[in-house]
């Protein structure tokens, strides 16, 4: 495990969270971008945890697949499956026009769930 690499992945996750907080204060809210970066924060944090555990994360945006890999090394990750399943579609669909309609509540929920995931992982990466 390379601490510098794990920390860099976590830094990028934190940057995505910073973006969603900035964008959530602009009106009208850019819902697609908020949901996308919320998913990205969770994805990068999950990948950081896999690297922390010495596993090479796959190149995927599927948070359910990533959390399943995390569960293989720590069963406690089953606690965030619901959040991962909620955010997973936002990794691809919002990047393209007409994929699906979002509401303010989707942005709010995506921010909350991504913060829960990132915090959950932060608590488990201990040097």
């Amino acid at each position: 495990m390379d601490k510098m690499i794990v920390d860099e992945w976590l830094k990028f996750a934190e940057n995505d969270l910073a973006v969603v907080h900035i964008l959530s204060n602009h009106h009208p809210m850019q819902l697609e971008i908020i949901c996308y970066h919320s998913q990205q924060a969770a994805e990068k944090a999950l990948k950081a945890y896999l690297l922390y555990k010495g596993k090479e994360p796959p190149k995927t945006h599927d948070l359910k697949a990533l959390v399943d890999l995390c569960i293989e090394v720590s069963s406690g990750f089953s606690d965030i499956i619901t959040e991962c399943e909620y955010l997973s579609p936002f990794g691809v669909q919002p990047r393209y026009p007409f994929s699906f309609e979002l509401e303010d509540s989707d942005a709010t929920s995506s921010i909350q769930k991504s913060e829960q995931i990132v915090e959950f992982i932060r608590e488990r990466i201990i040097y």
Side-chain angles (χ1 to χ4, degrees):
M1 181 268 303
D2 184 332
K3 181 183 181 305
M4 192 171 83
I5 292 172
V6 172
D7 288 345
E8 192 69 15
W9 277 92
L10 286 175
K11 176 183 166 196
F12 272 69
E14 296 289 345
N15 289 344
D16 281 310
L17 286 179
V19 165
V20 300
H21 285 288
I22 291 167
L23 292 175
S24 68
N25 291 315
H26 288 282
H27 296 282
M29 281 196 293
Q30 300 299 308
L31 304 177
E32 295 84 2
I33 298 170
I34 291 170
C35 291
Y36 171 72
H37 282 282
S38 294
Q39 184 279 344
Q40 285 292 288
E43 178 182 325
K44 291 166 186 162
L46 288 163
K47 289 179 177 181
Y49 185 78
L50 290 169
L51 288 162
Y52 171 71
K53 288 297 190 175
K55 302 217 173 260
E56 185 67 29
K59 292 181 181 180
T60 183
H61 299 299
D62 184 350
L63 300 185
K64 176 67 168 74
L66 292 171
V67 79
D68 285 344
L69 291 171
C70 290
I71 289 169
E72 289 177 13
V73 293
S74 178
S75 62
F77 275 77
S78 59
D79 291 347
I80 59 170
I81 288 175
T82 302
E83 290 82 359
C84 289
E85 289 174 338
Y86 178 85
L87 289 171
S88 201
F90 299 139
V92 177
Q93 293 171 339
R95 299 185 327 186
Y96 303 101
F98 314 113
S99 294
F100 59 107
E101 300 230 355
L102 296 170
E103 298 180 9
D104 288 358
S105 61
D106 294 310
T108 302
S109 292
S110 70
I111 293 168
Q112 179 185 38
K113 291 175 188 326
S114 65
E115 288 176 332
Q116 289 172 335
I117 292 167
V118 172
E119 182 61 28
F120 180 90
I121 292 167
R122 253 195 249 118
E123 292 171 357
R124 283 155 181 78
I125 294 179
I126 302 166
Y127 300 111

